[in-house]
Every structure is written in structure tokens, then in C-alpha cells.
């Protein structure tokens, strides 16, 4: 089966580092989905305004494996990068077919305009420019399984940090929505799980900003934003 992108998502992440490891973890992150010209038909979105969330099927476009090559096991970041799991027991981007699945919240839909229709969403865990292959509505009665058992994931807790952005740095950001989203992203600890050097300065690109930070004793301190 040959599939082609129907849309492209535009986010604040120009590179992979710092992107939340699952959708919805940073609920304030804003993004917009712009359709390819042949799919810019408002009729294709008829009825979608009645849904609050959608599923995105997309490509790990920055992790395309060589044709015919794949690994049966991967090292999930949540396990510190050391434990091996079967690729089909993880959501690793390193897959035989590099397809991702994300649930995002619809903020609004603009049917008119130069690029219309455009879907504005929150909570996306995708890099800027990621190709979207399909969009499906989230259906609560079918997609929600509160009784689900989630294997090794059930024993793990999402790691969060206290974030400190000194006033002399935060005052330089005019858009408070960007600052809120950035703080939310940083609180999820974008470092690799096996990194724990309190003197190391990390760099994160976000919304056109170059953010530098340190982490020590569960506290992330922003040291510079350019």
C-alpha cells in the first residue's frame, strides 16, 4: 500500500530534543495542522467540530530506518535507556514502519483562509514539519479503557521537575503563552533518563528560542534564553 501525507503539523519544536514523550503530557502546547493542497476541502472536516479530540497517524520522519532493516528490541527512555523491550511492546520511534499515534485536543478549526481548513490543536508530541497520514475522531466509548493493564509502564511514574525561570530571564519573553508552554515542557525533564550531571548545561530549541538549563536535586533552573 502506498500512502502519502494528507497534512503537515507545525509545532514549536524544530528538533527532536525536548519533545514530550507522549501526547497530552504538555497540555498547553499549541500546534496547527495544515492540509496538503489536494485535501483542502472543508467538506472533509464536516462534523469534526462536534469532537473535542482527534487521533493523528503520522511518521517519525526524523527516524526513517534503512529499507528492510529493523531491530526486534529497543531501549525505552522510561527504563533509563538500559532495559530492552520488544519493539511492539513500546512506542519507540525506531520501528519497522516508523508510524506514530497521538491523541490531541482540538482548540479550534478554521475553514477559511489561505491555507484553510486548518486544525489548531493542543498537547501534540510532534516535531515541526511532521507529515500526517490520517486523522480520526477520538470516540470515548470505544477508545477509553480505564480497566486496561499497561505492563511495565504501570510500575513507572512520569518524572517531573520543579522549574525555575529567574525574573531577569522570564521578563525577556513577551508572549506569556510561550513561557507557560516552555515551563510545562521543561517540567517533564527533557534530558535522557540516564543523564544526571548537575553541572551539565543542556540546550533546547523551542518557539524560536534557544533555552539553556541545568538540573540538580529535582529542580530545573533556566540559565539563559536567547
Amino acid at each position: 500500500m502506498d500512502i502519502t501525507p494528507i497534512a503537515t503539523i507545525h509545532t514549536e519544536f524544530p528538533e527532536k530534543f525536548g519533545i514530550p514523550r507522549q501526547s497530552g503530557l504538555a497540555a498547553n502546547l499549541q500546534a496547527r495542522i495544515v492540509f496538503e493542497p489536494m485535501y483542502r476541502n472543508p467538506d472533509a472536516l464536516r462534523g469534526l467540530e462536534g469532537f473535542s479530540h482527534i487521533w493523528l497517524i503520522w511518521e517519525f520522519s526524523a527516524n526513517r530506518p534503512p529499507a528492510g532493516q529493523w531491530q526486534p528490541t529497543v531501549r525505552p527512555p522510561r527504563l533509563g535507556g538500559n532495559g530492552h523491550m520488544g519493539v511492539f511492546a513500546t512506542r519507540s520511534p525506531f520501528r519497522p514502519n516508523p508510524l506514530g499515534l497521538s491523541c490531541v485536543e482540538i482548540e479550534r478549526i478554521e475553514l477559511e483562509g489561505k491555507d484553510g481548513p486548518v486544525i489548531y490543536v493542543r498537547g501534540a508530541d510532534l516535531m515541526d514539519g511532521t507529515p500526517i497520514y490520517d486523522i480520526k475522531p477520538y470516540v470515548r466509548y470505544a477508545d477509553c479503557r480505564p480497566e486496561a493493564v499497561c505492563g511495565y509502564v504501570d510500575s513507572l511514574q512520569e518524572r517531573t521537575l520543579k522549574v525555575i525561570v529567574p525574573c531577569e530571564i522570564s521578563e525577556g519573553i513577551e508572549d506569556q503563552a510561550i513561557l507557560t508552554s516552555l515551563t510545562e515542557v521543561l517540567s517533564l525533564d527533557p534530558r535522557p533518563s540516564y543523564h544526571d550531571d548537575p553541572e551539565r548545561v543542556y540546550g533546547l530549541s523551542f518557539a524560536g528560542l534557544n533555552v539553556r538549563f541545568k538540573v540538580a536535586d529535582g529542580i530545573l533552573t533556566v540559565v539563559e534564553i536567547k
Side-chain angles (χ1 to χ4, degrees):
M1 179 178 65
D2 293 327
I3 57 175
T4 57
I6 62 165
T8 299
I9 193 167
H10 296 283
T11 73
E12 303 292 4
F13 294 100
E15 56 190 27
K16 293 184 293 182
F17 183 74
I19 297 177
R21 295 181 176 93
Q22 299 292 340
S23 60
L25 295 182
N28 288 305
L29 280 178
Q30 295 180 311
R32 61 191 182 97
I33 299 169
V34 179
F35 288 87
E36 296 298 317
M38 72 175 296
Y39 298 108
R40 292 179 186 175
N41 188 330
D43 286 342
L45 277 67
R46 186 183 302 170
L48 193 60
E49 71 280 356
F51 292 85
S52 64
H53 293 72
I54 51 177
W55 290 106
L56 304 179
I57 299 175
W58 48 279
E59 180 187 5
F60 289 102
S61 51
N63 285 307
R64 292 189 177 110
Q69 296 185 23
W70 70 287
Q71 296 292 330
T73 62
V74 295
R75 297 186 294 176
R78 291 286 300 278
L79 296 180
N82 297 316
H84 285 76
M85 289 289 172
V87 64
F88 301 128
T90 75
R91 297 190 176 186
S92 167
F94 301 99
R95 323 186 66 78
N97 293 306
L99 295 177
L101 179 69
S102 297
C103 181
V104 297
E105 181 181 4
I106 298 175
E107 182 179 295
R108 69 183 189 278
I109 300 174
E110 292 185 356
L111 297 178
E112 306 297 333
K114 179 175 69 70
D115 297 325
V118 176
I119 306 176
Y120 291 81
V121 300
R122 291 181 180 271
D125 56 338
L126 287 76
M127 190 171 71
D128 184 52
T130 295
I132 306 296
Y133 287 105
D134 201 7
I135 296 171
K136 301 179 187 293
Y138 179 93
V139 180
R140 186 174 58 243
Y141 83 89
D143 296 339
C144 181
R145 291 289 188 266
E147 75 283 4
V149 177
C150 300
Y152 64 91
V153 177
D154 279 341
S155 64
L156 302 175
Q157 291 184 343
E158 190 63 39
R159 183 174 58 191
T160 58
L161 302 172
K162 178 181 178 181
V163 178
I164 296 177
V165 184
C167 291
E168 62 270 21
I169 294 178
S170 63
E171 289 173 353
I173 301 179
E174 297 180 358
D175 190 336
Q176 289 303 300
I178 291 294
L179 180 60
T180 298
S181 296
L182 173 61
T183 301
E184 193 173 33
V185 168
L186 294 174
S187 73
L188 296 172
D189 195 352
R191 301 174 301 163
S193 299
Y194 48 86
H195 281 201
D196 192 21
D197 181 357
E199 297 303 317
R200 179 167 180 171
V201 177
Y202 296 86
L204 168 69
S205 296
F206 182 81
L209 303 173
N210 182 11
V211 184
R212 296 170 63 80
F213 63 90
K214 289 184 174 183
V215 180
D217 300 324
I219 299 175
L220 184 151
T221 303
V222 175
V223 297
E224 184 180 40
I225 295 181
K226 291 185 179 180

